[in-house]
Amino acid sequence: MKKIAVLTSGGDAPGMNAAIRAVVRTGIRNGWEVMGIRNGYEGLIDDRFVRLGARDVGGIIQRGGTVLGSARSEEFKTRAGQLKAIRNLNQNDVEGLVVIGGNGSQTGAHALHALGFPVVGIASTIDNDLYGSDITIGVDTALNIALEAIDRLKITASSHQRAFLIEVMGRKCGYLALMAAIAGGAEEVVLPEIETDPEKLAKTLTDAYERGKAHAIIVVAEGAEYNATRLDEYFKEHRERLGFGLRVTILGHVQRGGAPQASDRILASRLGAGATEAMARGEYGVLVGLIKNEVTTTPLEVVVANKKLLDPAMVDLAKKLD
Ligand code: F6P
């Protein structure tokens, strides 16, 4: 093999740059030329290839976001878009592609592999919802940003004896919300995976108020049936009996924009190096992830066919600590 390419796709995640750096540097060590593709699959279709040398990825390990840019491409979801992408890879003499991203991105990687192009995925999403990796690049930093916000909101909540609904990201998966609730000492957590009874939440708030608590925190995953906006609407009719004054904070993309913490830089460096090692072995059509603290590969067809579930022990723990 002489030439590989790397792209970042889907929602950016802190640590993506460290993964790009690791792919480029270990690829060059293997004697390969490494190309970066701008703006994910969109750039692959539009032929936006740039040569990356070892120095081009200097000074990026500490930066959030992705220096290559990212996108969510509708055209790439079509067979015509995928064939165009493969044509561009072949025309640029690229023999192997590394895709850094989450569920949608790895579904795209699987499609390219199924069409015969050699691809290796790297598990990266703040949602941590990817089968084939216990932890994904970006989630730990995003979690800590959410925690900092929760800690601050608790201070102002206590000053006014208020309850806060704090919405964190997580389109289909409640991992971030669950971990933020446990580590942030929340009274309740609302998850997409578990049915919510708003009446029960109202009672939790009333009880906490009657016990004399200075504040109450409910962490809500954005993808839950009752997200923060819907819960706020529901509670409008019940304001009096809640006791607490109620406020809503939606953290949104703030969680994605941080500088990667040590854990994400190290994870991304390990997975980036793991991806080029897999390529050197001729192992393609796999996701490189971390399972039981080991860098592992899982076939992309297994990754896309399975849903990562929340750890029931963590759900129980959250209930015990409320
Ligand atoms: O998948 C990562 C994620 O941050 C989700 O938590 C969130 O729902 C989504 O991306 C937001 O996507 P966008 O950046 O396109 O608004």
Side-chain angles (χ1 to χ4, degrees):
M1 176 145 70
K2 291 201 186 82
K3 204 193 239 186
I4 65 164
V6 56
L7 62 80
T8 48
S9 162
D12 64 348
M16 276 184 162
N17 286 327
I20 295 169
R21 174 180 178 271
V23 169
V24 171
R25 297 229 167 134
T26 57
I28 290 172
R29 243 174 211 283
N30 288 348
W32 308 333
E33 194 180 333
V34 185
M35 307 293 284
I37 298 159
R38 296 226 181 268
N39 296 346
Y41 290 124
E42 204 120 301
L44 192 51
I45 291 173
D46 296 341
D47 200 15
R48 299 195 58 195
F49 289 67
V50 282
R51 189 165 190 272
L52 293 176
R55 297 278 68 77
D56 295 324
V57 291
I60 66 168
I61 196 168
Q62 73 276 25
R63 283 165 59 184
T66 159
V67 291
L68 286 175
S70 189
R72 300 190 193 275
S73 169
E74 284 307 311
E75 192 180 352
F76 186 75
K77 289 184 187 156
T78 67
R79 192 178 162 84
Q82 291 159 10
L83 291 174
K84 203 164 163 195
I86 291 180
R87 244 190 337 268
N88 286 337
L89 285 161
N90 288 333
Q91 270 164 16
N92 283 279
D93 299 321
V94 172
E95 292 162 272
L97 174 69
V98 179
V99 172
I100 304 170
N103 254 319
S105 312
Q106 303 309 337
T107 303
H110 178 243
L112 287 181
H113 177 70
L115 288 170
F117 197 86
V119 187
V120 169
I122 292 181
S124 175
T125 161
I126 67 154
D127 288 353
N128 201 24
D129 60 348
L130 198 54
Y131 191 87
S133 195
D134 292 342
I135 189 91
T136 52
I137 297 168
V139 66
D140 205 26
T141 302
L143 178 56
N144 278 284
I145 294 169
L147 275 180
E148 192 185 332
I150 292 171
D151 292 347
R152 288 177 185 207
L153 289 169
K154 264 189 179 173
I155 292 172
T156 173
S158 300
S159 306
H160 295 269
Q161 209 178 12
R162 282 176 176 157
F164 269 80
L165 299 172
I166 306 174
E167 187 174 290
V168 300
M169 275 191 159
R171 202 173 4 200
K172 292 182 187 147
C173 169
Y175 179 90
L176 261 186
L178 181 59
M179 295 302 151
I182 292 172
E187 272 61 32
E188 284 279 355
V189 59
V190 179
L191 304 166
E193 290 88 346
I194 296 173
E195 208 175 313
T196 306
D197 177 0
E199 266 310 299
K200 190 175 156 278
L201 294 177
K203 186 168 175 341
T204 301
L205 292 182
T206 312
D207 289 352
Y209 184 79
E210 281 170 2
R211 286 203 312 274
K213 288 198 78 166
H215 64 251
I217 300 292
I218 300 182
V219 178
V220 185
E222 67 164 327
E225 182 196 355
Y226 280 94
N227 62 12
T229 311
R230 189 154 175 229
L231 272 180
D232 189 36
E233 270 303 307
Y234 181 88
F235 286 152
K236 272 202 177 106
E237 294 156 27
H238 305 257
R239 282 283 195 267
E240 289 302 305
R241 71 179 162 114
L242 291 185
F244 293 109
L246 188 70
R247 294 289 185 273
V248 178
T249 298
I250 296 177
L251 295 181
H253 292 80
V254 162
Q255 291 153 100
R256 283 219 318 239
Q261 301 190 143
S263 55
D264 278 316
R265 297 184 203 188
I266 293 164
L267 174 65
S269 301
R270 291 179 76 188
L271 300 192
T276 56
E277 276 163 26
M279 286 173 137
R281 290 194 298 270
E283 193 183 351
Y284 289 103
V286 291
L287 177 81
V288 179
L290 200 74
I291 298 178
K292 297 195 191 329
N293 203 28
E294 293 284 332
V295 176
T296 49
T297 54
T298 306
L300 283 169
E301 62 184 14
V302 175
V303 171
V304 299
N306 283 282
K307 195 172 151 41
K308 184 157 152 189
L309 303 175
L310 282 182
D311 181 350
M314 286 298 182
V315 176
D316 272 0
L317 181 62
K319 281 189 198 136
K320 284 183 198 151
L321 297 174
D322 64 5

